[in-house]
Amino acid sequence: MKQNDFNQGVRWVKTSIVLGLLTLLPLSANAQKQWTLADCINYAIENNITLRQARLKQYGATETRKQSAAALFPTLSASTNQSVGYRPWQNAGTATVSNGTVSTSANKSYYNGSYSVSAQWTVWNGWQNVNQLKKNRLSEEQAGLTADETANSIQEKIAQLYVKILYMTEAIEVHRQSLETSKKNEERGRQMVDVGKMSKADLAQLTAQRSTDEYNIVEAESNLADSKLQLKQLLEITSTDAFEIAVPNATDEQALAPIPSLAEVYETALELRPEIRNSKLGIESSELQLKIARAGWLPTVSMTGGLGTSTNSMSQNGWGSQVKTNFDASAGVSVSIPIVDGRKARTAVNSARIAMEEAQLELQDREKQLYSTLEGFWLDAQNNQQKFRTSLTTVESEQASYNLLSEQFQLGLKNIVELMTGKDKLLQAQQNKLQSKYITILAMQLLKFYQGYEMSL
């Protein structure tokens, strides 16, 4: 083989390897998960520690409810006792009585056995057990609603961080565009200095503006990384892998969509929000607790029953005969009437009444808080939507003004101060547009969420 052919073969192999690696690079980049808002919410619902703790409390409430339901039925228990005795001074012919059986055996060591089954049933206790079961059912439902409250709170925090990340991502692009403009102005300034149309002092101002834009990008990227870290921590993600979110195309139409009326959102939220339903159940629970407390003044009726037998080794009868002979059965009814209870019932009744008033005040407070929260979202949507409409025109106007200033500056008709001022105004208008746009989108999403819709971007 000639040397040239060999060298060509080597170059072909190297080229193939490089091309193969280049084709793998996009696959590696695409392998990085891009978290959507729905992904973040679903992951948090499954993994957030606070929410999982709330779910465990709900399971505990379920067990308590099951126990109170079982308390309505009789209890049944069986017992046995086996014992060995020793009488060192037992005389022959001495009669002894054990478990109702007369024994004349002279054995100094003996063995006793007893067997019993007993049942107990609270027939009536002023309906305390029935009302306690109803109360525990409400507590179980309240525990579930508390978990729902936690889930809603987590979803709101995720949405706020997610939209904040979207805003920062787009704001960084605006800063980068501003930096590119600053670089062009700086380069143009150097050219003008070279031909004597600009002083080095003015060029230094352009350089300073370019440096400021670079600093703004670094600061914005740092804030973006911090927000991503907060979202990652909220999701309980401890992996060291890079965390990136999918950036949807948030259109101007989303920010300009109709805003639902505050009254409509509030009325719907009163019916759907778990914190309001939880407070209403709290009032029902306090009413049942008052009934339970009042039952402390009433009698308690219980029924008991039992079966039993016994055996003894000193008896001349066999084990089976003793079991049959010593078998007994009993049944009874007991009535307990409270007369002087040290003011326990009175205190319980008064405490239940206080708890009922507290539950009613809690409902009023939560309704007020709900309205205040919704009003804040609604005002954010209204005010920022108006700002966004205005900013659309402002950005166009500032962009046109800056383009004209830039042309006049290159012709020497405008000075450096006017150019920098125009650029700052354009950047501020762009930032105001982004801020009002994303605040509007977030507020509208939260209003829909309080109406029972899922949040989506």
Side-chain angles (χ1 to χ4, degrees):
M1 179 182 294
K2 295 181 179 181
Q3 184 66 31
N4 291 337
D5 294 338
F6 177 77
N7 292 337
Q8 290 178 356
V10 171
R11 286 196 295 270
W12 181 84
V13 171
K14 290 182 178 179
T15 303
S16 299
I17 294 174
V18 171
L19 291 175
L21 292 175
L22 290 175
T23 57
L24 290 176
L25 286 176
L27 295 177
S28 176
N30 292 333
Q32 174 64 46
K33 179 178 176 62
Q34 299 288 319
W35 291 76
T36 65
L37 178 59
D39 291 335
C40 293
I41 291 176
N42 293 334
Y43 188 89
I45 295 299
E46 293 294 330
N47 297 277
N48 185 268
I49 293 177
T50 303
L51 182 55
R52 290 165 64 186
Q53 290 173 333
R55 295 298 184 196
L56 288 177
K57 291 181 179 179
Q58 181 183 2
Y59 301 149
T62 300
E63 291 301 315
T64 302
R65 186 262 303 165
K66 291 179 178 179
Q67 182 182 11
S68 61
L72 298 177
F73 301 95
T75 59
L76 181 66
S77 62
S79 65
T80 181
N81 179 53
Q82 310 295 321
S83 63
V84 177
Y86 178 67
R87 294 175 178 171
W89 293 283
Q90 174 73 40
N91 295 324
T94 302
T96 59
V97 179
S98 177
N99 294 327
T101 301
V102 178
S103 303
T104 58
S105 174
N107 293 335
K108 294 182 178 183
S109 299
Y110 62 93
Y111 176 83
N112 285 330
S114 63
Y115 314 88
S116 64
V117 177
S118 60
Q120 195 275 335
W121 181 31
T122 301
V123 180
W124 190 78
N125 61 351
W127 305 117
Q128 289 188 57
N129 48 4
V130 175
N131 287 326
Q132 186 63 51
L133 173 58
K134 294 179 181 178
K135 185 175 182 293
N136 288 340
R137 283 174 178 165
L138 293 179
S139 297
E140 179 185 12
E141 190 174 351
Q142 284 184 283
L145 291 172
T146 299
D148 292 341
E149 289 181 51
T150 303
N152 286 346
S153 176
I154 292 173
Q155 291 184 65
E156 288 181 37
K157 292 178 181 178
I158 290 174
Q160 290 168 351
L161 283 172
Y162 196 91
V163 173
K164 184 178 180 181
I165 291 172
L166 295 182
Y167 160 71
M168 289 181 173
T169 301
E170 196 166 343
I172 289 175
E173 292 302 318
V174 172
H175 282 301
R176 286 174 179 166
Q177 293 174 10
S178 178
L179 175 61
E180 291 301 318
T181 302
S182 295
K183 288 180 178 179
K184 292 179 181 179
N185 289 339
E186 183 182 18
E187 181 62 28
R188 175 59 180 165
R190 287 196 183 97
Q191 296 174 359
M192 296 177 71
V193 169
D194 292 340
V195 298
K197 292 184 178 181
M198 179 184 289
S199 67
K200 291 185 177 180
D202 289 340
L203 176 61
Q205 294 186 54
L206 292 176
T207 301
Q209 188 177 56
R210 187 258 304 162
S211 299
T212 299
D213 286 339
E214 290 176 343
Y215 174 82
N216 289 338
I217 291 176
V218 173
E219 184 180 31
E221 289 177 341
S222 176
N223 293 334
L224 176 61
D226 182 65
S227 296
K228 288 182 178 179
L229 176 60
Q230 293 180 42
L231 181 56
K232 186 177 179 181
Q233 292 173 341
L234 185 60
L235 299 181
E236 308 290 353
I237 297 177
T238 57
S239 171
T240 57
D241 296 338
F243 180 76
E244 299 295 336
I245 70 168
V247 181
N249 183 22
T251 62
D252 294 349
E253 288 73 16
Q254 289 178 273
L256 296 174
I259 301 173
S261 68
L262 177 58
E264 178 185 350
V265 176
Y266 180 62
E267 290 300 324
T268 305
L270 283 177
E271 298 295 328
L272 299 179
R273 292 296 293 183
E275 59 267 30
I276 302 300
R277 292 162 57 197
N278 202 340
S279 295
K280 291 179 178 178
L281 291 181
I283 295 176
E284 295 182 31
S285 179
S286 64
E287 292 173 349
L288 289 172
Q289 184 58 46
L290 179 59
K291 293 180 180 179
I292 294 172
R294 285 173 175 168
W297 286 315
L298 303 176
T300 299
V301 180
S302 302
M303 292 182 64
T304 58
L307 304 173
T309 187
S310 62
T311 60
N312 188 286
S313 63
M314 291 176 18
S315 174
Q316 296 178 352
N317 297 327
W319 188 87
S321 178
Q322 291 185 62
V323 170
K324 181 178 179 180
T325 303
N326 297 336
F327 176 81
D328 63 21
S330 64
V333 177
S334 64
V335 179
S336 175
I337 303 174
I339 299 177
V340 179
D341 64 350
R343 207 178 182 276
K344 292 181 181 180
R346 172 60 63 183
T347 300
V349 169
N350 291 341
S351 298
R353 286 172 176 167
I354 293 173
M356 184 184 299
E357 293 183 9
E358 290 177 343
Q360 292 170 345
L361 291 175
E362 181 183 2
L363 174 60
Q364 295 177 17
D365 184 58
R366 287 200 167 188
E367 289 177 343
K368 184 181 70 174
Q369 289 179 6
L370 176 62
Y371 185 83
S372 177
T373 299
L374 292 177
E375 187 176 28
F377 293 154
W378 189 82
L379 288 175
D380 283 343
Q382 284 282 352
N383 295 337
N384 284 279
Q385 189 179 73
Q386 294 176 8
K387 291 179 181 179
F388 180 66
R389 286 196 180 96
T390 303
S391 68
L392 293 174
T393 304
T394 302
V395 169
E396 292 181 2
S397 175
E398 293 295 344
Q399 183 68 60
S401 176
Y402 178 73
N403 291 339
L404 180 60
L405 281 172
S406 181
E407 293 177 2
Q408 293 175 333
F409 172 74
Q410 294 180 16
L411 296 174
L413 301 178
K414 294 291 183 181
N415 58 40
I416 187 66
V417 175
E418 293 173 310
L419 178 68
M420 294 176 62
T421 301
K423 182 175 177 297
D424 290 340
K425 287 182 177 181
L426 174 60
L427 179 61
Q428 186 61 50
Q430 291 172 330
Q431 293 293 343
N432 290 340
K433 174 187 173 182
L434 287 180
Q435 188 176 32
S436 60
K437 173 183 176 179
Y438 281 103
I439 291 178
T440 303
I441 291 175
L442 174 61
M444 293 177 67
Q445 285 294 323
L446 290 174
L447 287 173
K448 292 181 179 179
F449 180 64
Y450 274 71
Q451 288 182 292
Y453 298 99
E454 293 183 358
M455 285 185 288
S456 61
L457 291 173

